[in-house]
Amino acid sequence: MYSEKVMDHFMNPRNQGEIEDPDGVGEVGNPKCGDIMKIFLRVRDDRVEDVKFQTFGCGAAVATSSMATELVKGKTLEEAWDLSNTVVAEALGGLPPVKMHCSVLAEEGIHKAINDYRVRHGLEPWDEKPGAPKAHSNETCEA
Amino acid sequence: MNRKRLVYLDHAATTPTAPGVVEAMLPYFSGRFGNPSSIYGIARESRLAVDHAREQVARAINGSPEEVYLTSGGTEADNWAIKGVAFADRKRGDHIITSSIEHHAVLHTCQYLEKQGFRVTYLSVDEFGRVDPADLENAMTDRTVLVSIMAANNEIGTLEPIAACGEICRDHGVRFHTDAVQAIGSVPVDVEALNVDLLSLSAHKFYGPKGVGALYVRKGVRLDNLLHGGAQERHRRAGTENVPGIVGMGVAIERACERREDYARRLTALRDRLYGGITERIEHVRLNGHPTERLPGNLNLSFRFIEGESTLLMLDHAGICASSGSACTSGSLDPSYVLLAIGLPHEIAHGSLRFTLGESNTDDDVDYVLETLPPIVERLRTMSPLYAEYRRSQDVQ
Ligand SMILES: Cc1ncc(COP(=O)(O)O)c(C=O)c1O
Ligand code: FES
């Protein structure tokens, strides 16, 4: 069901773990839906110097956490913000359609961590693009 | 990790054919390919083979051959029993009672009938997944025409009080159907002792071929046809018989019933050793289903803080086949309705694994799982923000 790339990132996740005293943290998802993702950022000179994740979820959720953190590492916060879930999914060689929402989670997690950093520094949080996909539109998961 | 080992622990999903089953089927693909409905010699051979298999099925469940109708599997048998009785008895009533943990072949059929104007009561179950016969009694109305309660649940393995439910139905003059797909070959199934009027079974769950099953229909039970067409199955079920499949089912059910007691004893021992070993090695594990009233080969566990699909992927990588009630394996956002029905919170249901043991499993297999599973759970917990949170809360205390 999953591509080789997905399985590689699932079995050997990059950047898995925690950052002590991170500059920004974003936790998204809901245990009720079976997925939680937590992103930790270390920021230097407006760049993602280091990034780590913790994920409770399916193979796709773990693999997209791994790939998304790889892709934002070293990027400016603005570039990191612009990383979309479809780019992450493509970098993984594609995801099954039912698993696309898991990749949205990674995008949301990074956004939340960036905005956490911005708020901590007295900056305005950035807005989600209008019409941006949401991981959970289902009511059971808004709880 | 490059061991070429395969440990199949998903026998509730399907089983391999037993020795002798395929061999018995083979002649009916080519040499004895005749249509049982034709009149010449090779057709007669097919007819005799089908009749013999029917007798084997009847004997296995203590029914008579005239009460056994051959189908394309458990799904068709469930559909036929429920729609067949509902439509045949429509003038008498419009109410059906079932449980909330039935297989989709029953639940979705009942939901379809609700759209056709029937009323359906879905009995809730206790924390072990058991229907309370008193609830059945209370749900009976003078419009009730059919009760359908499964003999054994496919996810959590819980055995239902079928004989008691059957007795209540008999007292009320209501038809009683049981889906015994998971029960055959594992627990005694006797249509007389269980007071059942209709019973579904499926060959691929007891080491027979896929795509063939049977519906037992007690003499005198009125049943509309599901499939219309030719005169097969005494005008009750149209369509040229799956002769090789039926032959294979006959051999498999006879064999399964002969071996049932040994099989159950062996699987129970293996299963209990697996369960004991897992709880010794892994913390925060919960048994789902009934501690004793359960299928011998079924072990359904929830592992806190981790999600089922990712666990299955890692097990698969190590050559272990199991299944999970996590939403992530089904592509929906809700975990198994069976696990929710026994009261599990969503996040615990997401961390469920089902191991179903079978004939080929050995003590070695159990040892291999006991060696492989703990590091996998540990690894996924290390990755899990829920586990990190839990550990922080422990540190604080
Ligand atoms: C309890 C139960 N009922 C019905 C079925 C459906 O049987 P079949 O696969 O033969 O259609 C299954 C098998 O998945 C089952 O476990
Ligand atoms: S986390 Fe549930 S489907 Fe991906």
Side-chain angles (χ1 to χ4, degrees):
Chain A
M1 163 171 108
Y2 289 130
S3 71
E4 244 169 75
K5 258 291 186 22
V6 172
M7 283 310 290
D8 175 37
H9 276 261
F10 170 68
M11 293 303 294
N12 313 292
R14 320 329 184 229
N15 311 311
Q16 177 228 314
E18 237 173 296
I19 293 178
E20 273 194 44
D21 300 320
D23 299 313
V25 182
E27 184 170 313
V28 291
N30 187 319
K32 273 193 79 177
C33 323
D35 47 16
I36 297 192
M37 203 178 283
K38 200 166 174 180
I39 302 281
F40 304 84
L41 290 181
R42 165 87 60 236
V43 182
R44 271 298 163 274
D45 303 331
D46 209 41
R47 273 183 193 276
V48 178
E49 185 185 68
D50 196 12
V51 52
K52 295 243 186 265
F53 77 88
Q54 286 178 331
T55 292
F56 163 83
C58 70
V62 173
T64 50
S65 311
S66 168
M67 181 55 91
T69 51
E70 276 293 271
L71 290 174
V72 298
K73 208 188 257 183
K75 297 272 160 50
T76 65
L77 290 184
E78 212 155 326
E79 287 164 343
W81 183 273
D82 284 338
L83 177 73
S84 77
N85 75 302
T86 47
V87 170
V88 176
E90 273 163 29
L92 284 167
L95 285 172
V98 295
K99 296 293 184 179
M100 282 306 287
H101 75 272
C102 314
S103 66
V104 177
L105 212 58
E107 181 184 329
E108 286 177 356
I110 288 170
H111 285 182
K112 207 158 170 193
I114 291 175
N115 272 341
D116 181 50
Y117 167 82
R118 290 184 59 83
V119 170
R120 288 188 199 193
H121 286 77
L123 302 165
E124 278 287 303
W126 285 330
D127 288 330
E128 293 290 342
K129 284 197 197 83
K134 293 193 72 163
H136 299 300
S137 41
N138 186 306
E139 279 183 355
T140 58
C141 281
E142 300 296 340
Chain B
M1 283 301 254
N2 248 344
R3 298 170 73 160
K4 277 268 181 275
R5 178 147 193 175
L6 183 82
V7 177
Y8 183 76
L9 294 171
D10 204 13
H11 291 83
T14 194
T15 58
T17 51
V21 170
V22 172
E23 289 80 349
M25 294 168 68
L26 283 175
Y28 296 92
F29 283 103
S30 45
R32 303 181 198 162
F33 65 91
N35 187 322
S37 302
S38 307
I39 59 163
Y40 31 78
I42 55 163
R44 203 154 49 238
E45 281 175 355
S46 301
R47 159 118 324 262
L48 288 176
V50 167
D51 286 344
H52 179 60
R54 192 190 310 284
E55 279 165 27
Q56 288 169 310
V57 172
R59 211 171 307 126
I61 58 173
N62 193 26
S64 69
E66 309 80 69
E67 295 172 313
V68 172
Y69 296 89
L70 304 163
T71 69
S72 64
T75 300
E76 184 193 329
D78 284 343
N79 268 266
W80 187 12
I82 295 166
K83 292 176 194 165
V85 170
F87 286 118
D89 278 353
R90 200 163 200 175
K91 280 191 223 68
R92 286 182 46 215
D94 56 4
H95 181 228
I96 296 165
I97 303 172
T98 186
S99 86
S100 55
I101 62 164
E102 298 295 314
H103 191 271
H104 278 147
V106 169
L107 285 182
H108 290 171
T109 302
C110 287
Q111 285 159 12
Y112 164 77
L113 287 177
E114 283 184 283
K115 287 203 200 108
Q116 305 301 311
F118 290 88
R119 286 183 313 113
V120 180
T121 300
Y122 300 91
L123 298 176
S124 55
V125 293
D126 67 13
E127 60 183 309
F128 304 119
R130 299 261 289 180
V131 167
D132 184 346
D135 290 346
L136 173 60
E137 178 83 54
N138 291 334
M140 288 282 191
T141 71
D142 54 8
R143 303 287 295 163
T144 309
V145 289
L146 176 70
V147 173
S148 179
I149 308 284
M150 70 201 318
N153 182 267
N154 45 301
E155 285 189 41
I156 55 176
T158 301
L159 305 176
E160 299 299 338
I162 294 307
C165 292
E167 203 172 313
I168 292 168
C169 292
R170 189 150 300 174
D171 290 348
H172 286 263
V174 169
R175 296 308 182 194
F176 181 48
H177 167 249
T178 189
D179 174 339
V181 167
Q182 292 287 339
I184 299 281
S186 286
V187 292
V189 176
D190 176 327
V191 292
E192 295 307 323
L194 297 177
N195 301 311
V196 305
D197 297 312
L198 305 108
L199 179 145
S200 306
L201 56 88
S202 175
H204 73 105
K205 309 285 185 176
F206 51 79
Y207 306 92
K210 295 167 186 46
V212 57
L215 178 66
Y216 160 84
V217 185
R218 185 178 291 281
K219 262 184 223 106
V221 170
R222 268 181 319 207
L223 189 70
D224 272 13
N225 288 356
L226 184 69
L227 299 184
H228 304 273
Q232 291 88 355
E233 296 296 287
R234 305 173 302 285
H235 294 93
R236 303 293 287 274
R237 196 267 184 189
T240 300
E241 298 85 345
N242 170 7
V243 179
I246 290 166
V247 168
M249 173 164 67
V251 173
I253 202 166
E254 190 171 286
R255 183 177 177 280
C257 290
E258 274 167 12
R259 293 165 168 250
R260 185 184 56 73
E261 283 182 40
D262 265 1
Y263 179 76
R265 206 175 305 120
R266 221 175 68 77
L267 259 51
T268 304
L270 282 176
R271 194 248 345 252
D272 290 350
R273 203 164 78 73
L274 180 60
Y275 177 48
I278 288 175
T279 50
E280 252 169 47
R281 290 166 178 77
I282 305 175
E283 280 191 310
H284 309 297
V285 180
R286 176 196 197 281
L287 177 71
N288 299 318
H290 200 282
T292 53
E293 292 297 302
R294 67 186 300 134
L295 287 172
N298 176 292
L299 186 61
N300 189 312
L301 303 171
S302 284
F303 295 82
R304 266 183 77 193
F305 315 118
I306 61 175
E307 186 280 317
E309 190 212 79
S310 45
T311 320
L312 288 184
L313 287 174
M314 289 201 175
L315 284 171
D316 177 44
H317 192 77
I320 299 171
C321 311
S323 78
S324 167
S326 166
C328 306
T329 55
S330 64
S332 81
L333 286 172
D334 279 319
S336 147
Y337 62 94
V338 175
L339 296 178
L340 297 181
I342 61 170
L344 289 200
H346 278 65
E347 57 270 34
I348 309 284
H350 283 297
S352 76
L353 287 186
R354 180 188 71 177
F355 300 102
T356 43
L357 292 89
E359 210 156 272
S360 67
N361 293 131
T362 60
D363 273 309
D364 260 9
D365 292 345
V366 170
D367 289 336
Y368 182 60
V369 176
L370 291 179
E371 167 191 319
T372 311
L373 181 64
I376 289 177
V377 172
E378 177 64 32
R379 210 169 137 201
L380 287 167
R381 281 184 177 164
T382 311
M383 225 184 267
S384 165
L386 296 176
Y387 192 55
E389 195 178 298
Y390 167 78
R391 275 199 324 223
R392 264 194 303 278
S393 75
Q394 293 300 100
D395 288 347
V396 169
Q397 279 171 19

